[in-house]
Amino acid sequence: LLVLSEDSSLATNAYQLTIDTTSVKIHAADVAGIHNALVSLWQIATNDLQKVACLTIKDSPRFEWRGQHLDTARQFFSMAEIKNFINNMSLYKLNKFHWHFVDDEAWRVEIKACPELTAKLSERGYNQLLDPQYGSAAPANGGYYSQAQMREIVNYAKARNIEVIPEIDIPGHCFALMKLYPELNEAADASVYRSVQGYANNCLNPALPETYEFLEKVLSEIAVIFPSDYLHIGADERPEGTWENSPAVSTLMQQQGFDTTEQVQTYFLRNVQQILKKLGKKTAAWEEASEQGEIEKDGYVISWKGTQAGINALKKGYQVVMAPAQHCYFDIAQSNAWDEPGQTWINDYVPLRKVYEYNPLSQALDPSVYKNLKGVQGCLWGENLYDKSLVQHLLFPRIIALSEIAWTEHAQQNYAQFERDLKQLHQPTLERLKINYCKLSF
Ligand code: ACM
C-alpha cells in the first residue's frame, strides 16, 4: 500500500518517507517532494526488495540549485541520449539541466526566423561550411533540435522534477555564427585575437545594430520554448584584443565615454539583458558577467574557473551557482593514468574524492553573503565526447558525489561511509542499469 499525503508544513522538495510492514507512506508539500521520496524509495527497494527494512526518512535538500550542464554543441546528442542523461540526473535528485547547444563549432537549435542557422551550422564535414571537428568524420554529420523536440525535452525533464535552462553563448564562442552571417562581421574591424580554443574572430560586435536584430529574433523564440525564468547568455572567454581595432566600437566608445573594451562588454550584456527583460526572462551567465561585464543582478552567475569569482560575486550581491572546474567539471580526467579520458587544462585531475569533499560554504562567508548561494552544478563539456560511452564514464560515480554535496550538510558528510555506500548500494544499481561507470573508485 502506497499512501501519499500533502503536508504543507514541509519545504518545497522536502519529504518524509515511512516504510512499515504493511505500507509505504510519503508526506510532502509539493510534487517535487513526492518525486524525491519516490526516488529514495526506488534507491532503497531496487537492490533487494526482500530485505527492505522498516524505516523513516526525513529529508530536504541542502541547496535549491542542484544542476548538471551538458554541451551538445561540440557533439550532437540524439533525443534518446538527452533523455537518458536527464533520467540519470533525476535518479540522483538533481533538478536543473543547463543545456548548452550553440558554440564555435555548431548551432543546434531551430530558429524559425533564421532557418539557415540549422541548415548550415548543425552539421560539420568535408566541403561543408564547418569543417570536421572533435572526432566528427569527413561525411557531413551532426544534428539539431526542432522546437517541438526542445518542448518535448522540457516536458520530459519537468516530469522528473528538472527545469531546463537554455544557453545561447554570446558575445564570444560565435565562430560558426560569424562564418554564416557576413553582416555580423564588420569588414573594417582589424582586431587580431584568438579564443583559448584557437578560434580567430569569434565575437559578436556590440556596436552593430545587426547584432541586436539577430539576437532579438533568436532570443524571442528561445524564450517561449523554455518556461524557465532564466535564459543563460554565456559571456565567458571573450578573448583579449577583441574589438580593439573595430571602427564601429571606437565610435561607440567615444559616444559613450568608454575607455576599455570591458566597458563595451558591459554595454553589450546590459543591452541583451534589456531584450531578455522584455521577454520576461532573467539573465544567467558565466562568472565573467559579474567581473568584466557587471550585469544587473536579476539572474545568477556561475563560478567556473574556481571559487574566487563566485565568492566575489556573492559579496557584490549576485545570486551564484558554484561549478568550480577543480571539483565540478566532469570533462576533466579522473586520474593521471595515461588511458583515462578527459581534459587536463586545470593542471590537475578530478577524482571522486575531490567532488565529494568540495564544500561550497567552506569559505567562512557571512550568512548574509551566502544566502545568495543558490547551489552547485556539474558541467560536462563535449570536446572529448567523441565516443558516447565516455559520457557515463565521466559522469559516474562523480555525479553521485555531486548529489551528496547538493543534499547533505557538510558536517554530516563522511567519505569513508560514502565509499561503503558506493560499493554496497550504488554499484549494484549502476551494474543493473548497465551504466558504464568509471571503476577507479571502487
Ligand atoms: C567555460 O567553461 N568556458 C564556462
Side-chain angles (χ1 to χ4, degrees), residues 116-368:
E116 60 282 0
L117 278 169
T118 42
K120 297 283 188 198
L121 302 180
S122 67
E123 295 197 327
R124 300 187 292 255
Y126 183 62
N127 273 342
Q128 304 292 306
L129 189 62
L130 298 177
D131 293 328
Q133 265 277 31
Y134 296 130
S136 60
N141 67 94
Y144 70 90
Y145 308 101
S146 71
Q147 297 199 352
Q149 286 176 319
M150 290 186 275
R151 286 197 172 90
E152 187 180 329
I153 293 296
V154 166
N155 291 331
Y156 187 89
K158 185 169 180 225
R160 286 156 183 78
N161 192 34
I162 293 173
E163 174 183 336
V164 185
I165 299 93
E167 178 184 353
I168 299 293
D169 199 354
I170 49 175
H173 289 273
C174 285
F175 181 79
L177 200 57
M178 312 287 285
K179 212 162 174 189
L180 176 65
Y181 291 128
E183 66 272 27
L184 296 182
N185 291 284
E186 183 191 13
D189 183 354
S191 310
V192 178
Y193 63 90
R194 265 180 202 279
S195 70
V196 284
Q197 290 85 4
Y199 291 98
N201 187 24
N202 74 338
C203 293
L204 292 174
N205 188 316
L208 301 182
E210 289 83 356
T211 298
Y212 302 102
E213 283 160 25
F214 169 74
L215 289 175
E216 291 237 29
K217 279 191 247 178
V218 168
L219 296 174
S220 57
E221 292 192 28
I222 297 287
V224 279
I225 299 166
F226 294 92
S228 172
D229 285 345
Y230 301 108
L231 207 157
H232 195 296
I233 58 165
D236 58 321
E237 296 183 316
R238 180 178 67 89
E240 231 171 271
T242 313
W243 310 320
E244 277 178 1
N245 291 298
S246 153
V249 169
S250 295
T251 305
L252 175 78
M253 290 174 75
Q254 275 163 17
Q255 283 167 354
Q256 301 284 335
F258 295 156
D259 300 319
T260 65
T261 52
E262 280 72 32
Q263 291 169 302
V264 178
Q265 164 115 337
T266 302
Y267 169 89
F268 172 77
L269 294 175
R270 292 202 168 184
N271 283 342
V272 177
Q273 196 166 32
Q274 289 311 311
I275 296 174
L276 291 182
K277 251 187 203 163
K278 277 190 277 169
L279 296 169
K281 297 291 178 186
K282 297 176 183 171
T283 303
W286 298 104
E287 66 185 44
E288 287 91 331
S290 64
E291 295 181 328
Q292 334 172 345
E294 287 240 19
I295 57 170
E296 286 177 50
K297 302 176 176 70
D298 68 338
Y300 66 92
V301 293
I302 305 178
S303 192
W304 67 273
K305 288 183 209 166
T307 55
Q308 196 55 49
I311 291 165
N312 295 345
L314 284 170
K315 289 181 178 162
K316 287 181 189 168
Y318 284 96
Q319 301 266 313
V320 170
V321 171
M322 285 291 195
Q326 298 77 6
H327 303 278
C328 298
Y329 266 34
F330 298 150
D331 50 305
I332 306 280
Q334 294 171 77
S335 89
N336 59 359
W338 69 271
D339 57 348
E340 197 53 43
Q343 300 270 25
T344 54
W345 63 264
I346 61 165
N347 296 321
D348 201 354
Y349 50 99
V350 181
L352 180 66
R353 193 175 186 126
K354 285 232 25 204
V355 184
Y356 187 86
E357 292 186 341
Y358 173 51
N359 180 10
L361 297 176
S362 69
Q363 308 291 328
L365 288 173
D366 187 87
S368 68

Side-chain angles (χ1 to χ4, degrees), residues 60-63 356 403-413:
S60 61
R62 180 185 183 197
F63 293 118
Y356 187 86
S403 173
E404 287 281 336
I405 304 172
W407 272 84
T408 309
E409 294 302 330
H410 193 68
Q412 287 164 22
Q413 290 173 20

Side-chain angles (χ1 to χ4, degrees), residues 385-436:
L385 304 179
Y386 46 85
D387 175 343
K388 291 292 170 51
S389 72
L390 294 174
V391 172
Q392 293 183 340
H393 179 94
L394 290 165
L395 277 182
F396 288 94
R398 292 187 290 190
I399 199 170
I400 304 176
L402 178 76
S403 173
E404 287 281 336
I405 304 172
W407 272 84
T408 309
E409 294 302 330
H410 193 68
Q412 287 164 22
Q413 290 173 20
N414 175 330
Y415 191 71
Q417 179 62 44
F418 179 63
E419 280 196 314
R420 283 195 290 278
D421 288 348
L422 208 57
K423 290 199 185 84
Q424 287 167 17
L425 304 174
H426 295 298
Q427 191 173 24
T429 304
L430 297 175
E431 289 285 342
R432 205 177 39 261
L433 295 177
K434 296 193 167 44
I435 286 178
N436 177 39

